[in-house]
Amino acid sequence: MPEIETYDFIVVGAGSAGCVLANRLTTSGRYRVLLLEAGPADRNLWLQIPLGYGKLFTDRRHNWCYATEPQPQCAGREVIAPRGKVLGGSSSINGLIYIRGQAEDFNLWRQLGNAGWGYDDVLPYFRKSEANERGADALHGGDGPLAVSNARDLHPLALAYVEAAQQCGYPRNADFNGATQEGAGLYQTTMRDGVRCSTATGYLKPARRRANLRVVTDALTTLILFDGRRGTGIEYRRGDETRTVRASREIIVSSGAFNSPQLLQLSGVGPAPLLQSFGIPIVADMPGVGDGLNDHYAGRILLRCRDPITLNDAVRGWGGKISAAARYAFSRRGYLTTAAISAGCFVRAHPLSETPDSQCSIALYSGDSIGGTLHAFPGITGVCTLLRPESRGYVRITSSDPRQAPAINPNYLATERDRETIVAGVKALRRIFRAPAMARHIAEEIEPGAACDKDDELLDFIRRRGSTTYHPVSTCRMGQDARAVTDERLRVRGLSGLRVIDASIMPAVVSGNTNAATIMIGEKGADLVLADAT
Ligand SMILES: Cc1cc2nc3c(=O)[nH]c(=O)nc-3n(C[C@H](O)[C@H](O)[C@H](O)COP(=O)(O)OP(=O)(O)OC[C@H]3O[C@@H](n4cnc5c(N)ncnc54)[C@H](O)[C@@H]3O)c2cc1C
């Protein structure tokens, strides 16, 4: 029998959190770490070019391309649910927007019983991760692994949007990650000199030459192995081969909000009736595993512009493509450096909200479907994200076969408050597009169209045409109650040798975009692991 390979730590999933862990756990040289990733290396050029985002939506080589179950409150539709499947995980295919969330989000996490997760506690980890091109200050880091940049080229429509929001009475905000989130401004993005900075680029690349780190790609972890209630190793599949590896200290599951609960359930950690229905032997009956899925739903309006200055126009025809490629190759400038959304306004839309509840943004392109062909005319999209959805759903295995996608049900718009808030938010978004600075660029609102004016009509439109902004969390929720999956040190409750460290541990989704907060979780998680290892 060949000897089974043993590492101090095994990290399952090389995404936003997993790459941070691989870097931080190998820094001292004291520990041997194995990082397993189901997807390939991040060699494809579109993973490096910011606008590649649009190409990666439907690219099955680098994206799990999941879809939700039919959503009862969204006209029974299945909503697309992309996830990165590549080194860097979703940070390699995401929209690059750098928004951490509100201080109140993290203070809520602490109030729920999670000592060490208030805003003052997590701020040092945001700073540690960040290399903001504006430099370091009390709220920002200047020399971390994650590059954060201003927009390379200021687009007239993005500037007009900010001006229009100010005309609606919203304050100008030069830093959405600063003292306050409210107001209108331009987004900062996770790129350096016009090239995407995923966690594979920022964290993994510098660590790869370390002798104590081994990275295996195209390796699907299929099972966590237990000795009683202690996690001792894993099985993974690479091609036709199944391999076993052991962890002398810990197994860290960082497979994201859909796949982390899936792997736990497949391994016997989850709701007993679900596991029994697939004949999976139970290690720990934990009803909370996969429960509580919380995600950002968004209403999207489509507008036709007067002048051919949108991305729809830039990408049309070979002449434009060739000159953009040349510009990018020589100067790393031009529309290929454009992030998914360019400018935004954080708004308190619902009368009962004390902090912004809606993120109203402009995207410089339009199309009939997300990730589909762009319109053949100048167009833009207005996006209103419901920042603190009350609605909760679940992730559940549908088979004992690890290659089968789990059932994903975010249960969008399940509560009255969610429905009221998103209608109020989309109304605020439309007001901005109708303010003078923006209105002079708009020929017409194509969807839902000016005739759609009443609240119930607007809600019907949002149900039929809305989508996610790809921020699923909370399926292995950190907490102190009986349904919580991890404790505040991210250890799986009631078991040993096993943690979950990724977006799935968030008690609730942050009021922003989730990449920055997940990287913070990776940073803090690494500190917790190292502190417990000594
Ligand atoms: C299309 C899209 C756009 C987005 N836009 C933004 C944005 O603009 N700004 C922002 O802040 N956030 C954005 N997000 C969200 C953000 O990127 C995610 O919240 C974050 O990356 C989640 O990190 P994670 O570590 O939890 O999971 P992931 O980064 O998804 O990493 C999980 C990794 O685990 C691997 N894995 C899964 N199962 C297994 C297994 N069994 N064995 C081995 N490996 C496995 C996966 O392949 C993946 O690489 C976007 C996400 C998407 C998909």
Side-chain angles (χ1 to χ4, degrees), residues 12-18 36-39 53 57 64 82-91 93-99 219-222 254-257 259-260 262-263 340 469-473 501-504 513-516 518:
V12 182
S16 293
L36 292 168
E37 168 53 45
Y53 165 77
F57 261 108
W64 293 87
R83 289 281 94 190
K85 185 183 181 186
V86 57
L87 291 182
S90 298
S91 79
I93 68 161
N94 75 11
L96 292 91
I97 307 304
Y98 183 78
I99 304 270
L220 179 74
T221 300
T222 51
S254 300
S255 307
N259 298 111
S260 285
Q262 179 195 27
L263 181 59
T469 47
Y470 326 108
H471 299 156
V473 303
I501 304 182
D502 62 19
S504 67
N513 303 54
T514 41
N515 189 40
T518 307

Side-chain angles (χ1 to χ4, degrees), residues 130-182:
E130 186 186 12
N132 199 310
E133 73 168 34
R134 295 179 186 166
D137 62 22
L139 300 177
H140 291 283
D143 57 3
L146 181 71
V148 177
S149 307
N150 297 329
R152 301 277 288 172
D153 299 295
L154 297 179
H155 195 282
L157 290 172
L159 297 172
Y161 183 84
V162 175
E163 193 187 336
Q166 289 176 272
Q167 289 168 344
C168 293
Y170 300 112
R172 174 84 171 86
N173 190 340
D175 182 6
F176 290 128
N177 302 297
T180 172
Q181 192 193 51
E182 193 154 12

Side-chain angles (χ1 to χ4, degrees), residues 22-160:
N23 181 316
R24 298 302 187 196
L25 298 182
T26 53
T27 307
S28 71
R30 286 173 64 184
Y31 305 113
R32 292 191 66 221
V33 175
L34 173 65
L35 176 67
L36 292 168
E37 168 53 45
D42 57 336
R43 289 203 195 91
N44 189 300
L45 202 59
W46 288 115
L47 297 164
Q48 319 300 333
I49 298 172
L51 199 67
Y53 165 77
K55 291 238 172 233
L56 300 165
F57 261 108
T58 48
D59 170 9
R60 291 189 174 273
R61 176 89 177 113
H62 301 104
N63 183 339
W64 293 87
C65 292
Y66 291 134
T68 69
E69 306 216 286
Q71 293 296 287
Q73 296 291 336
C74 300
R77 285 178 308 132
E78 294 179 5
V79 175
I80 62 158
R83 289 281 94 190
K85 185 183 181 186
V86 57
L87 291 182
S90 298
S91 79
S92 287
I93 68 161
N94 75 11
L96 292 91
I97 307 304
Y98 183 78
I99 304 270
R100 298 170 177 175
Q102 298 167 8
E104 290 81 358
D105 297 329
F106 306 102
N107 290 338
L108 174 69
W109 294 8
R110 182 173 54 196
Q111 281 174 57
L112 292 171
N114 301 301
W117 291 91
Y119 183 62
D120 292 347
D121 305 307
V122 301
L123 180 58
Y125 292 103
F126 279 115
R127 292 188 70 240
K128 182 180 183 185
S129 65
E130 186 186 12
N132 199 310
E133 73 168 34
R134 295 179 186 166
D137 62 22
L139 300 177
H140 291 283
D143 57 3
L146 181 71
V148 177
S149 307
N150 297 329
R152 301 277 288 172
D153 299 295
L154 297 179
H155 195 282
L157 290 172
L159 297 172

